[in-house]
Amino acid sequence: ELKELGKYFPCITIYGPRQGGKSTLVRHAFGDRFTTVSLDDFENLALALNNPKLFLDSNPCPVIIDEIQRAPILLMEIKRRIDLEREKWLDKDEPNQLLYVLTVSNQYELQHGVSESLAGRTAVFHFNSFSLAEKRQIAGELFNPGIADLHQKERRLILNPLNRNDVFKEIFQGGMPSIVAGGMPRDMFFKSYV
């Protein structure tokens, strides 16, 4: 879905929880042709805050900017650059190109800025922790709550249905990658996370 969005938008903004796997997803989807710059790095952050133009000149497109909520001032310069590129594409009758992929860990800090500055320029993608299907490594369609469909899917995939206790355990565990794939104890992870 991310790659499909990249065919139509010059920017993709990915909202999701901290430690949810956004950076890993983006690296797998675009890392072969995009450079990545993280605003968790103090020097990158200082440059982005003090001189957004120089920051973007130093990190040319296509670029992944990780944790952009730390430097919302970049949004206006990104908007300006996207608009300049769009004019060139129109003049040459060229298609849109994906220039920026932005990850955001705290959507409330940045959501207003993105909707104001990048409206119509960015695709918004909401990324969540692992679903039960992903945790159980089940490929297929999105969740369908129809009981007959669920029973049919269970039979087709030869899954053992979850009892009430197992459902509670799955909900309680959640889907954060550090717990599901990394084996970190749930209580330890969420105590530190919160």
Side-chain angles (χ1 to χ4, degrees):
E1 189 175 342
L2 281 177
K3 288 181 178 182
E4 187 67 18
L5 290 171
K7 294 176 185 176
Y8 303 100
F9 289 91
C11 182
I12 298 174
T13 304
I14 303 170
Y15 292 107
R18 295 185 194 283
Q19 296 297 304
K22 295 179 305 299
S23 302
T24 302
L25 171 70
V26 169
R27 203 169 41 251
H28 283 288
F30 304 110
D32 57 334
R33 53 191 185 94
F34 279 60
T35 56
T36 300
V37 60
S38 174
L39 294 182
D40 279 340
D41 178 280
F42 179 75
E43 289 179 10
N44 290 334
L45 179 59
L47 182 58
L49 291 172
N50 293 313
N51 194 337
K53 185 178 182 322
L54 181 59
F55 173 84
L56 292 173
D57 287 344
S58 302
N59 299 287
C61 296
V63 63
I64 297 164
I65 304 175
D66 206 15
E67 302 294 346
I68 194 161
Q69 78 278 356
R70 297 182 183 277
I73 194 168
L74 286 173
L75 297 176
M76 290 304 293
E77 182 63 18
I78 289 172
K79 172 192 179 290
R80 188 184 73 77
R81 290 174 185 233
I82 287 172
D83 289 347
L84 288 173
E85 288 301 316
R86 278 183 159 176
E87 285 180 25
K88 291 177 192 174
W89 299 333
L90 285 172
D91 289 344
K92 296 178 182 177
D93 197 28
E94 293 178 350
N96 274 329
Q97 296 174 36
L98 182 59
L99 303 173
Y100 300 96
V101 177
L102 314 174
T103 70
V104 183
S105 290
N106 187 335
Q107 70 182 48
Y108 302 108
E109 289 177 15
L110 198 68
Q111 198 162 23
H112 180 71
V114 167
S115 63
E116 286 288 314
S117 302
L118 298 178
R121 296 168 184 87
T122 189
V124 175
F125 188 85
H126 292 276
F127 185 76
N128 296 307
S129 59
F130 291 138
S131 68
L132 181 59
E134 290 169 321
K135 287 168 63 175
R136 295 177 83 187
Q137 298 181 355
I138 302 168
E141 68 279 353
L142 296 173
F143 178 70
N144 179 344
I147 194 71
D149 293 331
L150 291 174
H151 286 306
Q152 183 181 24
K153 187 174 186 178
E154 285 174 345
R155 284 190 295 276
R156 186 178 73 239
L157 297 172
I158 312 172
L159 294 176
N160 294 325
L162 297 176
N163 63 35
R164 200 174 277 171
N165 194 32
D166 291 338
V167 170
F168 175 77
K169 284 179 185 175
E170 289 292 346
I171 292 169
F172 188 73
Q173 180 192 36
M176 296 300 280
S178 294
I179 299 168
V180 175
M184 182 179 288
R186 180 224 179 261
D187 291 347
M188 184 184 300
F189 176 84
F190 281 116
K191 246 185 209 177
S192 300
Y193 187 84
V194 172

